[in-house]
Amino acid sequence: MSEYSTEYVTVFHTVGEVRAWRSKQQQQGNTVGFVPTMGALHAGHLALATAAARACSSVILSIFVNPAQFAPHEDLAQYPRTLRSDIEKLTPLAQTTHCVVFAPSVAEMYPRGITTDRTQQRGTFVEVLGLSEMLEGGSRPHFFRGVATVVSKLFLIVMPEMAFFGQKDVQQCCVLRAMVGDMHFPIKLEVVPTVRGEDGLALSSRNVYLTEEQRKRAPAFYRGMCKARELFDSGVVGRDALITAVAAEAASEGLEIEYIRLSDPDTLEEVDSVTSAGAILSGAWRMGTTRLIDNTLIGFEF
């Protein structure tokens, strides 16, 4: 048993341990819900675990900071690693639900090694072409290759009936939904609505990097999206008007906007207006050195 295991939460570190546990769940007729995370758990992650507990007999969370999602200049070394406190946060749920954690080492997940320099990477990787190049892929071309690769590995290790992801990472949800279909994974992917603070800011592990002053200004992007949704509800469907509503509110608090897009929910290509298929209104902005993302769904639901 791992030193991190507690009375209520068992922590596994190897693929063999997880597969033995999964075999036991199958023998007992238990369905398994899976929540992949990079740790530093907050209420958003716990909402995913709670949704998994409602839908499945057993819940497994992975806690793994995936190097393949980071470029050499990004904050891999600084990314918070808080396994012990993460286990404590899961305890209330684990008191009523069978809940375990898979916290593998980098060597366990990447037996041939892994570097953040994509040109030096060796081994097997998964790419979802087309969707991965949109939106976040413009500034982080390595990111969704890393996501698709590690989630594919985790799916094959855990073999869950259902997997749960947060809407805040909407492009990730679209990429993985396509991957599940393309690769014929026998897994139902569930998208859980974004969990927000009282001021509307989406919960994120990166919020801890915000200063008190930045934290007060950051919700302006969400307020702008709310105004855009109000416009849509009043009959406005044009991209320019909806994006302008977000940009104006963000500018009022001096947010450093990287992009705001109105996108087709299937292709993520930019659209001129919201059609009967709906659209995703999303964006990214910086507060000092911290980069944040958010989105809202217009005219459709996952």
Side-chain angles (χ1 to χ4, degrees):
M1 180 180 291
S2 167
E3 63 176 303
Y4 293 99
S5 295
T6 68
E7 178 183 359
Y8 296 105
V9 181
T10 300
V11 181
F12 302 124
H13 295 288
T14 69
V15 172
E17 289 173 322
V18 175
R19 285 183 169 158
W21 172 85
R22 183 63 182 90
S23 179
K24 186 176 181 180
Q25 301 309 303
Q26 187 174 22
Q27 292 168 10
Q28 295 175 346
N30 293 333
T31 55
V32 172
F34 177 42
V35 182
T37 83
M38 292 212 300
L41 301 186
H42 50 64
H45 298 110
L46 299 180
L48 298 179
T50 299
R54 291 196 189 104
C56 300
S57 311
S58 301
V59 175
I60 179 168
L61 284 84
S62 61
I63 296 178
F64 177 64
V65 181
N66 178 30
Q69 292 174 217
F70 292 79
H73 68 280
E74 292 180 328
D75 57 352
L76 174 60
Q78 287 73 40
Y79 198 90
R81 292 162 173 82
T82 56
L83 183 56
R84 196 171 297 281
S85 64
D86 289 344
I87 303 307
E88 293 173 357
K89 291 174 183 176
L90 289 170
T91 297
L93 176 68
Q95 289 176 333
T96 58
T97 301
H98 179 54
C99 180
V100 301
V101 166
F102 179 38
S105 66
V106 173
E108 189 75 8
M109 292 301 293
Y110 293 95
R112 298 180 63 181
I114 183 72
T115 171
T116 57
D117 183 349
R118 179 170 173 170
T119 66
Q120 299 298 314
Q121 291 174 355
R122 299 293 181 268
T124 304
F125 294 84
V126 178
E127 291 186 280
V128 181
L129 300 179
L131 293 173
S132 296
E133 289 78 24
M134 301 295 180
L135 302 173
E136 289 293 286
S139 60
R140 307 184 74 193
H142 58 284
F143 180 76
F144 291 107
R145 178 174 182 262
V147 169
T149 297
V150 78
V151 172
S152 293
K153 289 172 178 274
L154 291 167
F155 280 175
L156 291 169
I157 294 165
V158 176
M159 294 300 293
E161 279 82 9
M162 301 178 69
F164 296 79
F165 297 87
Q167 182 194 313
K168 184 182 77 69
D169 299 304
V170 69
Q171 185 174 2
Q172 174 176 280
C173 295
C174 293
V175 168
L176 294 177
R177 181 175 61 178
M179 184 189 78
V180 165
D182 291 346
M183 301 295 286
H184 301 288
F185 280 112
I187 296 168
K188 183 179 181 183
L189 193 151
E190 289 286 330
V191 178
V192 178
T194 301
V195 177
R196 302 182 179 278
E198 291 184 1
D199 58 3
L201 184 65
L203 298 191
S204 168
S205 301
R206 296 180 187 272
N207 290 354
V208 299
Y209 299 138
L210 297 175
T211 66
E212 183 177 351
E213 184 268 340
Q214 290 170 340
R215 182 65 180 74
K216 291 179 180 178
R217 294 191 290 118
F221 195 92
Y222 173 69
R223 293 197 301 270
M225 291 195 302
C226 289
K227 290 185 176 181
R229 287 186 59 88
E230 290 173 1
L231 286 176
F232 173 75
D233 291 340
S234 70
V236 177
V237 297
R239 176 186 62 194
D240 291 346
L242 299 177
I243 288 179
T244 297
V246 182
E249 190 66 27
S252 72
E253 292 290 354
L255 304 191
E256 184 184 342
I257 297 296
E258 282 196 8
Y259 70 84
I260 307 172
R261 297 285 188 275
L262 187 71
S263 306
D264 181 277
D266 291 320
T267 67
L268 296 182
E269 294 178 350
E270 192 163 14
V271 295
D272 293 326
S273 62
V274 183
T275 68
S276 59
I280 298 170
L281 182 62
S282 64
W285 70 100
R286 289 188 179 274
M287 305 291 294
T289 60
T290 304
R291 186 176 187 276
L292 301 175
I293 61 173
D294 205 349
N295 69 85
T296 188
L297 309 182
I298 298 181
F300 86 104
E301 297 179 357
F302 278 109

